[in-house]
Amino acid sequence: MLQAWSQRLLGSQLSGALLRASIYGQFVAGETTEEVRGCVQQLQSLGLRPLLAVPTEEEPDSAVKTGEAWYEGNLSAMLRCVDLSRGLLESPGPTGNILMQLKITALMSTRLCKELTSRVRRPGGSLELSPERLAEAMDSGRDLQVSCLNVEQTRHLQASLSRLHRVVQHARAQHVRLLVDAEYTSLNPALSLLVAALATRWNSPREGGPWVWNTYQAYLKDTYEQLRRDAEAADRAGLAFGVKLVRGAYLDKEREVARLQGTEDPTQPDYKATSQSYSRCLELMLTQVSHRGPMCPLMVASHNEDSVHQATKRMWELGIPLDGPVCFGQLLGMCDHVSLALGQAGYAVYKSIPYGSLEEVIPYLIRRAQENQSVLRGARREQELLSQELRRRLLGRGLRVPH
């Protein structure tokens, strides 16, 4: 509403200038390579690392963005992001894994993802859609025959698998590890299937994996069991298992869809239950890390100070080194008091960095603000700390400001 109001009142040019001076300037690295590099160098000087994100935003079943050309354009953007992520290493700063976010629905239709989800959820699923079979089709480039899909769907699946394979292949060559974003529950089983296929090909010890990590949303009721099953399956298969653990977005939309369809709400009932779920998932993964080491890297992607404290405390108790397989992640421009404290203490901390033009990035930022209430809680806490520091500086160093 703010964006629409400012455009009507001020016009596109002034509205754009206002957004660049406020929302865009706070949460976006910039539009050009030079602007992104400058932002990253500033973060590196503070002990923080970049996690670049191409801000592709598409509603499921959107009729606006369709056709292979749109997905091929997104593929080119992803490949450029891999190169940029790698190129940022030329700047002096903290070393460690080079990480980048990957959104599968930028490379594959949400309609097909929904169709795959419906197949996967059926008892026994479809043997034609096993991760091993999809991985073989990706690697060989041979035509995939799937009887449960029509000709058009099969052709798009084949093209999408090729795009995913090319991104991971290029990322592997550039030593960039890909963190796949989770999305809606109507899509996530399909996304997990594709991640499993990519993991079968690229997350084996001989490849130096994991090159593909999955994201788990603690605000969903079934996340803990899903995470436990996936961790055990990766261990049995001898595959590396990379995880980004988040509280999750899409909360309001998930509840609305469940209400309209008359189905059970898949989300936790409140913020406290979500925090408890996050805590259980975090404990599970830290135990896995302590047993499997570099074969089980974890990103604790949270703006919640209690979750961060739990992670650092358990890392110390389990003997997980600060420069080991556990890292932390927060959004650029958000909860810097958490990020900076972790970075200065020697932990690996990544800031999720969207970049691109104003038109590309603003819808992405609006979605993040609408759906991630934990971020807004963190913003209020950060505002408190900034206000305290301003008062301290303005009124003199001798003034004692309560903390």
Side-chain angles (χ1 to χ4, degrees), residues 259-288:
R259 181 182 61 80
L260 291 174
Q261 295 181 348
T263 57
E264 182 184 356
D265 182 355
T267 66
Q268 299 287 352
D270 50 39
Y271 189 79
K272 181 179 179 181
T274 298
S275 294
Q276 291 171 342
S277 171
Y278 194 95
S279 179
R280 290 184 70 208
C281 293
L282 180 58
E283 179 64 30
L284 170 66
M285 284 309 304
L286 289 174
T287 303
Q288 288 283 325

Side-chain angles (χ1 to χ4, degrees), residues 7 22 40 44 47 58 62 83 102 104 137 159 170 180 182 208 270 284 289 296 320 378 385 387 392 401:
Q7 283 185 339
S22 54
V40 169
Q44 288 177 330
E58 179 191 14
S62 170
D83 290 334
L102 174 66
I104 287 182
H170 187 58
V180 174
D270 50 39
L284 170 66
V289 172
C296 191
I320 300 171
L385 294 173
S387 298
R392 187 188 70 81
V401 179

Side-chain angles (χ1 to χ4, degrees), residues 7-223:
Q7 283 185 339
R8 285 196 303 270
L9 186 65
L10 304 175
S12 296
Q13 190 170 358
L14 283 176
S15 173
L18 175 63
L19 290 170
R20 284 184 180 277
S22 54
I23 299 172
Y24 184 97
Q26 174 72 7
F27 303 114
V28 183
E31 186 170 351
T32 66
T33 299
E34 291 72 24
E35 289 172 339
V36 175
R37 189 179 299 280
C39 173
V40 169
Q41 287 175 343
Q42 186 178 26
L43 291 175
Q44 288 177 330
S45 70
L46 299 170
L48 307 177
R49 310 177 189 190
L51 174 65
L52 296 187
V54 178
T56 306
E57 195 64 29
E58 179 191 14
E59 282 289 339
D61 303 324
S62 170
V64 178
K65 301 165 182 174
T66 56
E68 294 298 332
W70 189 74
Y71 299 108
E72 288 294 325
N74 290 337
L75 169 62
S76 297
M78 294 292 179
L79 294 176
R80 289 195 299 271
C81 188
V82 170
D83 290 334
L84 181 56
S85 297
R86 174 65 184 179
L88 293 173
L89 263 189
E90 298 168 5
S91 307
T95 58
N97 284 329
I98 310 173
L99 305 180
M100 173 191 135
Q101 292 176 232
L102 174 66
K103 187 167 183 174
I104 287 182
T105 55
L107 305 174
M108 182 177 185
S109 163
T110 54
R111 290 186 180 87
L112 181 56
C113 286
K114 284 189 173 185
E115 180 64 29
L116 293 177
T117 291
S118 70
R119 300 290 175 180
V120 169
R121 282 176 168 170
R122 293 176 186 178
S126 174
L127 296 177
E128 295 179 299
L129 295 172
S130 69
E132 294 75 18
R133 191 161 186 266
L134 295 181
E136 197 278 331
M138 259 190 275
D139 210 17
S140 67
R142 290 195 293 268
D143 288 343
L144 184 66
Q145 301 298 322
V146 184
S147 61
C148 62
L149 301 178
N150 62 36
V151 174
E152 182 183 352
Q153 290 170 330
T154 302
R155 188 181 299 118
H156 180 60
L157 175 59
Q158 186 81 43
S160 301
L161 291 174
S162 174
R163 284 188 283 266
L164 287 167
H165 185 67
R166 287 167 61 190
V167 173
V168 183
Q169 190 175 40
H170 187 58
R172 170 69 178 86
Q174 296 291 345
H175 300 281
V176 176
R177 301 181 190 274
L178 301 171
L179 278 61
V180 174
D181 289 339
E183 301 186 43
Y184 295 97
T185 53
S186 60
L187 308 176
N188 283 339
L191 304 185
S192 293
L193 170 65
L194 295 167
V195 170
L198 293 167
T200 299
R201 171 62 181 86
W202 293 104
N203 285 3
S204 64
R206 71 176 180 274
E207 291 287 349
W211 295 103
V212 182
W213 303 21
N214 205 0
T215 296
Y216 292 83
Q217 302 161 302
Y219 79 145
L220 299 176
K221 293 175 182 175
D222 63 352
T223 294

